[in-house]
Amino acid sequence: VSVPVPFFHAGERAEEAAWLAALNAATDAFEVRPGRDMRAEDLARTEVAIVANPDPADLARLARLRWVQSLWAGVERLVGELQGVGIVRLVDPQLGRTMAEAVLAWVLYLHRDMPRYAAQQRARIWRPHEPVPASGRTVGILGLGHLGRCAAERLRANGFAVAGWSRTPKEAMAFETYAGAQGLADLLGRADIAVVLLPLTADTRGLLDAARLGQMKPGGCLVNFARGPIVDTDALVAALDAGRLGHAVLDVFATEPLPPGDPLWSHDRITVLPHISAPTHMTTAAGIVAANIAEFLKDGTIPETVDRGRGY
Amino acid sequence: VSVPVPFFHAGERAEEAAWLAALNAATDAFEVRPGRDMRAEDLARTEVAIVANPDPADLARLARLRWVQSLWAGVERLVGELQGVGIVRLVDPQLGRTMAEAVLAWVLYLHRDMPRYAAQQRARIWRPHEPVPASGRTVGILGLGHLGRCAAERLRANGFAVAGWSRTPKEAMAFETYAGAQGLADLLGRADIAVVLLPLTADTRGLLDAARLGQMKPGGCLVNFARGPIVDTDALVAALDAGRLGHAVLDVFATEPLPPGDPLWSHDRITVLPHISAPTHMTTAAGIVAANIAEFLKDGTIPETVDRGRGY
């Protein structure tokens, strides 16, 4: 009989069932079961759990819990709620490819003036605009973790000029990078399109406020594929309304789903997306999660966990 | 004193002036002058002219004309109007890159469901759709000339499955190719997105008629970046209205600009673009044109001309 590993998933039952099937198909080394269906003594004994937006009260019952494996890359809620337990983020090469594709797709959307041509179509206006070569657009990537680096590489392969920013200096990147507070001002002042791929931490919450948005190149565009609270939405709307910035593509919001009454929906310089830039790919993610846990059960190895000081 | 070479440009004077400046900046071997400003004896003597949508009556006055250099890749009007004179199309590597970028941009637009998310935004609906990896989409390229091959390579580099079709079989492509009438049916039946990059000829006029559109994969999408008359617009609208096809991106039309009263403007499954997929890049084009003519003036070499039998 195989070891039961609890799964705590706060979402739709159908999605939970799909994850359970994918996880159990990925391994024979253990059995993934919904936490709520496990006996109290099994829960008290487990040292590892798989989580997707879990209820903290459920995890508090796991007396011997040493680490949790998240099904997502963003773990800001877990960091806040879960003390004394290692948190392992999902690092999925497939996710990197999907995010790189999303960044490329919406950078091309802005680069090739799609919002403007859509507005002209609605007004039945035939008006070509002067093309700009990709090499004439600088895309600034905020956040140079796995996803940021994948996006930067993909943009470079498609001819864009790329520059990156991270909290601390990075070595040996194939493109220009900036770090720290002054570095962010420099990058924002250069980028025609700024793409946010930062984790949400105490440092990044509200990072792109009125002052930072004011440092952006006039007419610049913003893409947020990370977390809503990194951008001050009121300040963004003000900058767009004033014509200081060109357009924003927002895939993430402080409240999701974005409420139907939110004015962002109808802003003609904002493209609203329902958090679709890089959905977790169940099959590859399940394989990675299963391999991590199988290795732990075999020899006690825990994958790299989140640095609580940094928050990611 | 340098040889005068006439330039016949039927368009806005400002654009003509920009071309004249770019062409004359590109060479010292000859001087490009507006045809209307040249003396009759100079016109009667010239063996070459540079043309952009010229008036056939102007060209008829050039008694010794041997060839014309087009500023564009599409030369269907010239082929019809200009007998006994070699026609040289613009083959510009920069144009290939720009077209490849346009094809990638609007393929990603369809691949990542942008029209659907735009409709949802207008209706304030938050609904993510199941993602499909690029490798799960087959893009069919109709036309495997310079532009078609550039587009295919770019799509492959970004993970898409690519197949191509051409009138006659092509050797040694890195992807699957089809040829002839049955081959077109096979390709259309496989492609999730069909991209038209064919020249307009007697064979391709009306090629994508109701019967051919009926061979497309159900739910498939169409991108026309070539010439309007290749696609039967009424049949396309009928296929979209019936839900047989998913969406169309049209950059070219039988009449351009598309008249304000045309119903295509307001069709919610058609994206109308004002012929912007791959505008000629003046600087690189002027350099290529100048080099072609300088070589002819030096040693009489005429670049490869259009095959009138094929029409391109």
Side-chain angles (χ1 to χ4, degrees):
Chain A
V1 296
S2 61
V3 185
V5 170
F7 178 40
F8 294 100
H9 176 279
E12 289 177 16
R13 278 293 169 94
E15 197 186 331
E16 183 192 79
W19 272 112
L20 281 168
L23 290 163
N24 283 317
T27 185
D28 292 323
F30 56 93
E31 188 196 355
V32 183
R33 288 162 56 185
R36 66 175 175 280
D37 293 347
M38 282 175 61
R39 293 182 306 175
E41 64 246 50
D42 282 337
L43 289 174
R45 204 159 23 213
T46 194
E47 296 184 317
V48 59
I50 301 169
V51 300
N53 228 0
D55 182 340
D58 285 333
L59 295 179
R61 294 158 56 211
L62 312 188
R64 295 185 56 194
L65 187 65
R66 292 176 58 197
W67 65 289
V68 296
Q69 169 72 58
S70 168
L71 293 182
W72 298 326
V75 292
E76 67 280 356
R77 275 200 47 204
L78 284 175
V79 170
E81 292 168 354
L82 202 59
Q83 305 301 323
V85 169
I87 297 168
V88 175
R89 307 160 65 204
L90 182 68
V91 178
D92 179 353
Q94 174 65 34
L95 193 71
R97 279 192 292 274
T98 308
M99 180 58 92
E101 180 187 279
V103 170
L104 176 64
W106 274 279
V107 162
L108 283 168
Y109 168 82
L110 296 168
H111 168 58
R112 298 293 301 225
D113 285 327
M114 291 191 202
R116 196 171 182 183
Y117 287 124
Q120 289 187 190
Q121 179 174 354
R122 287 192 294 274
R124 297 174 177 247
I125 293 170
W126 179 280
R127 188 181 298 148
H129 300 285
E130 192 64 29
V132 176
S135 58
R137 302 266 194 205
T138 298
V139 183
I141 305 288
L142 277 62
L144 297 173
H146 175 64
L147 299 182
R149 292 194 306 269
C150 286
E153 273 169 41
R154 184 72 82 94
L155 290 167
R156 280 163 43 82
N158 283 284
F160 287 96
V162 171
W165 178 82
S166 55
R167 198 177 50 90
T168 54
K170 299 275 179 189
E171 302 291 329
M173 293 278 181
F175 51 90
E176 212 175 338
T177 57
Y178 298 81
Q182 182 55 46
L184 183 54
D186 295 340
L187 180 84
L188 292 173
R190 267 191 64 191
D192 297 290
I193 301 171
V195 180
V196 185
L197 290 173
L198 293 161
L200 178 59
T201 68
D203 288 336
T204 65
R205 185 175 293 274
L207 177 67
L208 294 180
D209 56 11
R212 287 295 185 188
L213 294 172
Q215 291 167 347
M216 283 181 71
K217 183 171 173 174
C221 294
L222 183 74
V223 177
N224 187 3
F225 282 171
R227 286 291 184 264
I230 297 171
V231 177
D232 177 338
T233 312
D234 292 342
L236 174 65
V237 168
L240 292 166
D241 286 344
R244 272 262 317 135
L245 297 183
H247 196 91
V249 176
L250 303 179
D251 187 47
V252 289
F253 303 89
T255 303
E256 294 181 11
L258 186 66
D262 198 294
L264 294 177
W265 284 111
S266 59
H267 199 291
D268 63 3
R269 291 181 172 222
I270 296 177
T271 298
V272 172
L273 300 172
H275 204 143
I276 49 83
S277 59
T280 302
H281 188 262
M282 213 173 259
T283 310
T284 56
I288 291 160
V289 166
N292 283 351
I293 294 177
E295 180 150 338
F296 170 71
L297 295 176
K298 198 180 72 184
D299 62 16
T301 307
I302 297 178
E304 189 188 352
T305 58
V306 168
D307 176 332
R308 287 166 178 284
R310 300 184 311 178
Y312 61 94
Chain B
V1 297
S2 60
V3 184
V5 170
F7 178 40
F8 294 99
H9 177 279
E12 290 178 16
R13 279 292 170 94
E15 198 186 330
E16 183 193 79
W19 272 112
L20 280 168
L23 290 163
N24 283 316
T27 185
D28 293 323
F30 56 92
E31 188 196 355
V32 183
R33 288 162 56 185
R36 67 175 174 280
D37 293 348
M38 281 175 62
R39 292 182 305 176
E41 63 246 50
D42 282 337
L43 288 175
R45 204 160 20 215
T46 193
E47 296 184 317
V48 60
I50 301 169
V51 300
N53 229 1
D55 182 340
D58 285 333
L59 295 178
R61 295 159 55 210
L62 312 188
R64 295 186 56 193
L65 187 65
R66 291 176 60 197
W67 65 288
V68 296
Q69 169 72 59
S70 167
L71 294 182
W72 299 325
V75 292
E76 66 281 354
R77 274 200 48 205
L78 285 176
V79 170
E81 292 168 354
L82 202 59
Q83 305 301 323
V85 169
I87 298 168
V88 176
R89 307 161 65 204
L90 182 69
V91 178
D92 180 353
Q94 175 64 34
L95 193 71
R97 279 191 291 275
T98 308
M99 181 59 92
E101 180 188 279
V103 171
L104 176 64
W106 273 278
V107 162
L108 283 169
Y109 168 81
L110 296 167
H111 168 59
R112 297 293 301 226
D113 285 327
M114 292 190 200
R116 196 171 183 183
Y117 287 124
Q120 289 186 189
Q121 178 174 354
R122 287 191 294 275
R124 297 175 176 248
I125 293 170
W126 178 279
R127 188 182 299 148
H129 300 285
E130 192 64 29
V132 175
S135 59
R137 302 265 194 206
T138 298
V139 183
I141 304 288
L142 277 63
L144 296 174
H146 175 63
L147 299 183
R149 293 195 305 271
C150 286
E153 273 169 41
R154 184 73 81 95
L155 290 167
R156 281 163 42 82
N158 283 283
F160 288 96
V162 171
W165 179 82
S166 54
R167 199 177 49 90
T168 54
K170 300 275 181 190
E171 302 293 327
M173 293 277 182
F175 51 91
E176 212 175 336
T177 58
Y178 298 80
Q182 182 54 46
L184 183 53
D186 295 341
L187 179 84
L188 293 173
R190 268 190 62 192
D192 297 290
I193 301 171
V195 180
V196 184
L197 291 173
L198 293 161
L200 179 59
T201 68
D203 287 337
T204 65
R205 186 175 292 274
L207 178 67
L208 295 179
D209 57 10
R212 287 295 185 188
L213 295 172
Q215 291 167 347
M216 283 181 69
K217 184 171 174 176
C221 295
L222 183 74
V223 177
N224 187 4
F225 282 171
R227 286 292 183 264
I230 297 171
V231 177
D232 178 338
T233 312
D234 291 342
L236 174 64
V237 168
L240 291 166
D241 286 344
R244 273 261 318 133
L245 297 183
H247 196 91
V249 176
L250 304 179
D251 186 47
V252 288
F253 303 89
T255 303
E256 296 181 9
L258 186 66
D262 198 293
L264 295 177
W265 285 111
S266 58
H267 198 290
D268 63 3
R269 290 181 173 222
I270 296 178
T271 298
V272 171
L273 300 173
H275 204 142
I276 48 82
S277 59
T280 302
H281 188 263
M282 213 172 261
T283 310
T284 57
I288 291 161
V289 166
N292 284 351
I293 294 177
E295 180 149 339
F296 170 71
L297 294 176
K298 197 179 74 184
D299 61 17
T301 307
I302 297 178
E304 190 188 351
T305 58
V306 169
D307 176 331
R308 286 166 179 283
R310 300 184 311 178
Y312 61 92

